[in-house]
Amino acid sequence: MRTEFRLSGSGGQGLLLAGIVLAEAAILEGKNAVQTQSYGPEARGGASKAEVVISGEDIDYPKAMDPDFLLALTAEAYRTYGKLMKKGLIIVDESVPPSEDIIARTARVPILKTAAKDIGKSVVANIVALGVLAGVSGIVEPGTLEAAVKNRVPKGTEELNVAALKKGFELATAFKAKA
Amino acid sequence: MPSAKLMQGNEACTIGALVAGLEFYAGYPITPSTEIAELCSEELPKVGGKFVQMEDEIGSIAAIIGASLTGKKSMTATSGPGFSLMQESLGYASETEVPVVIINVQRMGPSTGMPTSPAQGDVMQARWGTHGDHPVIALAPGNVKECFDLTVRAFNLAEEYRVPVIVLTDEVIGHMREKVLLPDWEDVKVVDRARPTAPGGYRPYEADLDGGVPLMAPFGQGYRWHVTGLFHDETGFPSGKADVADRLLRRLDRKITKNEKVIRDYVTESVEDCEILVVSFGSSAMSALSAVRRARREGVKAGMLRLKTIWPFPDEVLKDLSRNAKAVLVPEMNLGQLAYEVERTVGCRAPVVRIGKVNGDLFRPDEIHDKIMEAAK
Amino acid sequence: MSDILKYFRQDRLPHIWCPGCGHGTVTGALVRAIARLKLDKNKVCVVSGIGCSSRAPGYLDFDTLHTAHGRALAFATGIKLARPDLKVIVMTGDGDCTAIGGNHFIHAARRNIDITTIVMNNNIYGMTSGQYSPMTPKGFLGTTAPYGNPERTFDLCKLAEAAGATYVARGTSFHAQMLIDLIEQALTHRGFSVVEALTQCPTYFGRKNKVGGAVELLEWIKERTVNAKAAAVLPPEKVAGKLLIGELHKNPQPEFCDEYDKIIAQVQRKFEGFRGGVRGCEQNSD
Ligand SMILES: Cc1ncc(C[n+]2csc(CCOP(=O)(O)OP(=O)(O)O)c2C)c(N)n1
Ligand code: SF4
Ligand SMILES: [Mg+2]
């Protein structure tokens, strides 16, 4: 079974890292995973997109064709990629206003606020989002993801990021309970 | 036991180079190849190797040729604009038979083009970019693991035949991360250039005229030999004689043509009974393979030939495979460069369909699938 | 004499330079300096670009590398960094060094890599038959400056100094003894050293500009130069418009290969597996 994730937002939000961690967690569980990216010419600010394809089988085409999950952290990303969503679920930050021409099933989650308020560091929004994605999709075990996060984040920030991840899981549980 | 890792194509190239014995890197930063330079700057001093960021790509390739002359395995990495600047000394390396490896992570061109978008527009530049006839080997990894494998192979071929070897990847493969299981370093076959044993009577360019590879002495060990980009005889000194020039150029060319069979490398899938043959390489081949598999599931006899060696081009294999084909499809992220070779090789055996994509995006599998279905009608 | 001859590839002689060409004098000065220092033939590597001047290494019995036009210093950088124990010498022309190779020149100087560069400045593109170079004085003639060169020249020594060279000197083929001394000093200096050797191309520069043959050109070189030490005490009008010769700049600084070796000493270890990193998470481009 092939599961496709698209993580979108702006450069500097750390979505690429989130994608890498997700792919690495899948590998730790013995699955195949491919992560690709596209980014604007600016390191920060420009549109940024990371994709992760996870499968128990051989992955020939590395990009998402019809994502099962879209994460959108900015209004621009939501409008650009939300429109393309067919079968999958959109997870969008609560602060982004809904759009009428986006019809796919949508979860509105306070990712940016949780990072800023509950953790006190908006830079970990990517890891909060990762927790939400993993929790909602159930693609990897929380423990594996935690290991992958610790492996990839800068030294000394492990605790902070694990806390962010757990907040993400909580947001996912809350969403699932509602749904 | 090595374990599976999530690894990027550019990282895999670098690790391949280090395992193959890389000791010297000179380069100039350019997207989407820069990770290779960054990683080399970090890893090389750890193994006593050297890294230098040169003032441009002209200087980069010159510096690695200089380092290779001292006996050190050397490489550089770049993308289109830098690859263009390297053409001058690529010819120098061919003429003087200095082994070097150049990794070209292709991006959209011409000119500055689209720096962060993939393309495969340097196929012909890799072959004919520098002036004059010259031997060249260009390898094309089709996934991250092959970035490792083919970079190792690039060094081995460079050392064995004393030629510059180009690894042609692209933005997708260079930046893509996937699960890779690398071999134990000890199990990787590594080739070193053949060296003379003692300075006495060393004739630096003496070799079998039928594609022989001369012994290469490192600078600084008493051989005191001369290297020049002018045509030269067996002694290494310039000669303007017609027969000397003719002999040298033919020998250089024969080094590769004579060994084409062992240099060529490719993979096939479902070609045994195939009617629609898809020929591709690099990241386009990932989309193509997905399309071929889908067509098969739908009962169309599609098959895939993916080239791991672009130069020398695998004529014979393609001739064979196209014999019973109804059509040969060539998806590539340019306006038909590999297709030229395919058309030349296939001749009138089957119609060749060019599928070019030049908008900076990787092919979607359905784009190629549509063409397969059309051709199968 | 015999101690000089042993540094030549005698079977490669006679050379291809025109009668009266100054490149032989400069090459001779280099070899004499090397002989004085008794350098080990097996530990010297001479690199050149393209031009009449760049043909010199072919006559010298070392490991020698005749590269592409302007690129000698870039090749030499690779050799020196890969083998810091070698004495690396670059022989280059005024066109090779200051036009097509100008960028490599200033960056080699900036790095202060231990290479001795000898610029054989005959104020012309000799090899290609007399086009003007960045070192052709304003108003002088070349085959591509039929009405007099409208461009200005570099002051090569000031350029080298400003770019970071740590030893800079100017000599001439007229003052042959002094040239040997200067090259000897340059060879013993650890860092990027430059010796600009003013020399003559009678075939193109001399003839085109009606200065005359080798003798007249040497006279011309003598007239346009003044010893740097003497200049310090001469009245200004005797120095005005003249090129200073002698040692012009000496400022020892940490050398590039040495600095790199310090990094190696800090980080060297046995190559183990590669853990992977987050490199590439924040991308720039272009
Ligand atoms: C890329 C390139 N451009 C042009 C040339 C032609 N060319 C050869 S030597 C030379 C000028 C050499 O002048 P200089 O460096 O002053 O040496 P000289 O012959 O005066 O000693 C030129 C333009 C070349 N060989 N390569
Ligand atoms: S053309 Fe000029 S520089 Fe060249 S060899 Fe003759 S005199 Fe010397
Ligand atoms: Mg000149």
Side-chain angles (χ1 to χ4, degrees), chain B residues 135-155:
Chain B
V136 94
I137 297 176
L139 310 179
N143 53 52
V144 174
K145 170 68 171 22
E146 279 181 9
C147 286
F148 174 89
D149 294 340
L150 295 194
T151 305
V152 172
R153 185 150 199 261
F155 276 92

Side-chain angles (χ1 to χ4, degrees), chain A residues 5 22 69 89 91 127-142 145 165-166 168-176:
Chain A
F5 296 84
L22 184 60
F69 297 93
L89 171 72
I91 298 170
I127 303 296
V128 175
L130 185 63
V132 177
L133 262 187
V136 170
S137 67
I139 192 85
V140 285
E141 294 299 322
L145 197 59
L165 186 70
K166 295 213 161 120
F169 285 140
E170 283 169 24
L171 291 176
T173 314
F175 165 73
K176 282 197 287 193

Side-chain angles (χ1 to χ4, degrees), chain A residues 16-17 20 37 39 41-44 151-152, chain C residues 275-278 280-286:
Chain A
L16 193 47
L17 177 63
I20 291 170
Q37 67 198 61
Y39 51 92
E42 253 63 65
R44 290 177 189 280
N151 193 23
R152 287 281 182 173
Chain C
R275 193 174 143 261
V278 290
C281 286
E282 267 151 33
Q283 295 285 355
N284 259 313
S285 67
D286 287 8

Side-chain angles (χ1 to χ4, degrees), chain B residues 243-275:
Chain B
D243 59 325
V244 170
D246 183 84
R247 240 182 9 236
L248 175 57
L249 193 52
R250 287 182 194 281
R251 179 174 66 73
L252 295 182
D253 188 56
R254 277 297 281 162
K255 287 197 296 187
I256 304 307
T257 50
K258 187 181 169 186
N259 297 296
E260 269 173 14
K261 281 215 173 74
V262 277
I263 298 171
R264 281 173 185 162
D265 195 7
Y266 56 87
V267 283
T268 56
E269 183 167 313
S270 313
V271 287
E272 297 71 28
D273 61 344
C274 90
E275 291 175 352

Side-chain angles (χ1 to χ4, degrees), chain B residues 217-257:
Chain B
F219 271 12
Q221 297 198 356
Y223 289 86
R224 300 198 307 273
W225 59 298
H226 185 62
V227 180
T228 178
L230 291 165
F231 273 85
H232 44 271
D233 61 20
E234 289 71 17
T235 65
F237 291 103
S239 164
K241 292 198 188 117
D243 59 325
V244 170
D246 183 84
R247 240 182 9 236
L248 175 57
L249 193 52
R250 287 182 194 281
R251 179 174 66 73
L252 295 182
D253 188 56
R254 277 297 281 162
K255 287 197 296 187
I256 304 307
T257 50

